[in-house]
Amino acid sequence: MTEPRVGPEAPGNMRTLVLSNDLDQTREIISSAYSPYQLSVLGDPKEFSAWYAEGSFPGVTVSGLQYGAETLVAPQPLDSYLLVCKLVRGQVKVISPGRDERVVGTGETYVLDPYRQFQVHWAPGARMTTLRLSRETVEQAAADTLGVEGPLRARFGLGGPVSPGAARSWAGISNAVHREILGEGIARTSPLIAAHLTQMTAALLMESYRLVTDGVDAQRPGVVGHAAVRRAMALAEERPDEPLTLADLARAGRVSPRALQEAFRRHVDTTPLGYLREIRLGRAHADLLAGRGSGVTVAEVAYRWGFGNLGRFAAVYRERFGVAPSRTLRG
């Protein structure tokens, strides 16, 4: 294996599987570790380097991954497992075609569920750690959380934790898992402790990140608002091109408009129409990217996604993406 120009040492009990400048070799090994994927170097191919390492106890696998050049990764859906990804250094852009996208910076996290189609655009030198749970574990935890018979298909948005408290709780369990794997933790040799820690990790995942599961009525006390939010979100994501109103979203959530507003503020720190606007902004952004060189205008895209005031559209777009919509369209 060729020595890369840059590459961290695998910490603790993690085992390095890739340390290479060879694109084909990297693609083959990491495809085996994750899922079959396309790997493209967007910068100078001579600058490419890759490092990948992993460690585990029964139920959980922790990995480290770094690319030394601007790189685009386009895997197939993960299918049999879920990943919680944390940027340790640098920046990536995560794109889920037709759904949403997000720029993730150092210290931030996002979830890739087993069913999502996605791409990850890596800045040179970006490095992340991932925590992997099996699909079966995640689907049972989702059913347990919502008080229904499992397993239950569990989908997640690309956003980070739902609140500062949730972020702290997730960081705590993640750090505990890393200590067990990187050190000589009990979970590496005790199936009972490993199972307990795996179940706790999956349960905290459900509470820490936005769970989107269609067609399920939560039975346990205290989460009716969360179920209503999920139903309203599903409508907003499926039909953002339609003139949806607060009343439409409330009917989808099976609650009153006021109750839906309160549930959104409690669970996702926004309003129902604010969430719909974010979905539409994401779709407009995707259309502007796709429209480069085609003659499409910012106004056409804005009107298509319900933004009748072009000045307001430009302002909220810049706030969300950091550039003017015209800049995105020009490339």
Side-chain angles (χ1 to χ4, degrees):
M1 187 176 290
T2 307
E3 287 298 315
R5 297 168 185 81
V6 292
E9 293 293 328
N13 288 309
M14 292 180 70
R15 183 167 60 99
T16 295
L17 300 180
V18 174
L19 190 60
S20 178
N21 295 325
D22 189 304
L23 186 65
D24 292 333
Q25 181 185 57
T26 299
R27 183 186 298 113
E28 179 180 355
I29 296 175
I30 300 184
S31 288
S32 298
Y34 284 100
S35 63
Y37 79 134
Q38 298 176 11
L39 176 63
S40 306
V41 179
L42 304 183
D44 185 350
K46 296 179 181 178
E47 296 299 319
F48 175 79
S49 64
W51 167 79
Y52 172 75
E54 66 178 37
S56 65
F57 60 75
V60 179
T61 298
V62 169
S63 304
L65 182 61
Q66 176 177 316
Y67 291 112
E70 185 180 3
T71 305
L72 181 66
V73 176
Q76 295 179 12
L78 302 176
D79 185 48
S80 62
Y81 60 90
L82 172 146
L83 290 177
V84 184
C85 307
K86 177 178 180 180
L87 261 290
V88 177
R89 184 174 69 203
Q91 177 179 289
V92 301
K93 178 187 288 186
V94 190
I95 305 165
S96 185
R99 294 187 62 83
D100 52 353
E101 71 176 54
R102 179 182 171 208
V103 175
V104 184
T106 301
E108 295 182 324
T109 60
Y110 62 96
V111 177
L112 294 175
D113 62 47
Y115 332 98
R116 180 183 289 276
Q117 193 84 31
F118 67 94
Q119 300 175 354
V120 184
H121 183 171
W122 291 68
R127 180 183 178 188
M128 74 168 59
T129 61
T130 67
L131 190 154
R132 184 189 311 178
L133 293 167
S134 73
R135 175 174 174 171
E136 290 78 8
T137 297
V138 170
E139 292 184 343
Q140 186 58 56
D144 292 343
T145 296
L146 297 177
V148 299
E149 292 187 10
L152 180 67
R153 182 182 174 95
R155 302 202 63 195
F156 291 84
L158 284 180
V162 297
S163 69
R168 289 190 293 272
S169 294
W170 178 256
I173 195 69
S174 179
N175 290 339
V177 167
H178 278 73
R179 286 194 298 270
E180 289 295 313
I181 290 174
L182 301 183
E184 296 296 334
I186 298 173
R188 292 172 60 84
T189 56
S190 169
L192 182 62
I193 297 299
H196 180 71
L197 190 51
T198 298
Q199 292 166 5
M200 185 182 300
T201 302
L204 268 174
L205 173 70
M206 300 301 135
E207 300 294 341
S208 300
Y209 293 85
R210 181 168 67 85
L211 175 64
V212 184
T213 304
D214 298 340
V216 177
D217 291 319
Q219 300 299 316
R220 65 175 191 159
V223 299
V224 174
H226 186 248
V229 168
R230 287 187 293 100
R231 289 191 289 264
M233 284 179 167
L235 177 63
E237 292 177 356
E238 291 169 4
R239 294 159 51 188
D241 56 333
E242 297 183 13
L244 298 174
T245 65
L246 176 59
D248 294 328
L249 295 172
R251 278 193 292 272
R254 304 173 200 165
V255 294
S256 70
R258 181 175 179 179
L260 185 67
Q261 288 180 313
E262 293 175 352
F264 263 77
R265 290 192 183 98
R266 176 183 176 188
H267 292 289
V268 290
D269 196 29
T270 188
T271 65
L273 293 180
Y275 180 79
L276 177 60
R277 186 190 70 177
E278 289 298 304
I279 295 295
R280 288 170 171 168
L281 273 175
R283 302 297 172 84
H285 178 67
D287 282 0
L288 289 170
L289 288 173
R292 291 173 176 174
S294 67
V296 70
T297 67
V298 170
E300 289 172 340
V301 172
Y303 295 149
R304 181 184 306 153
W305 294 106
F307 296 95
N309 186 318
L310 294 182
R312 178 59 179 161
F313 172 68
V316 295
Y317 187 95
R318 183 186 293 274
E319 181 180 353
R320 167 78 180 273
F321 298 105
V323 296
S326 57
R327 173 75 176 275
T328 299
L329 186 59
R330 289 196 305 268

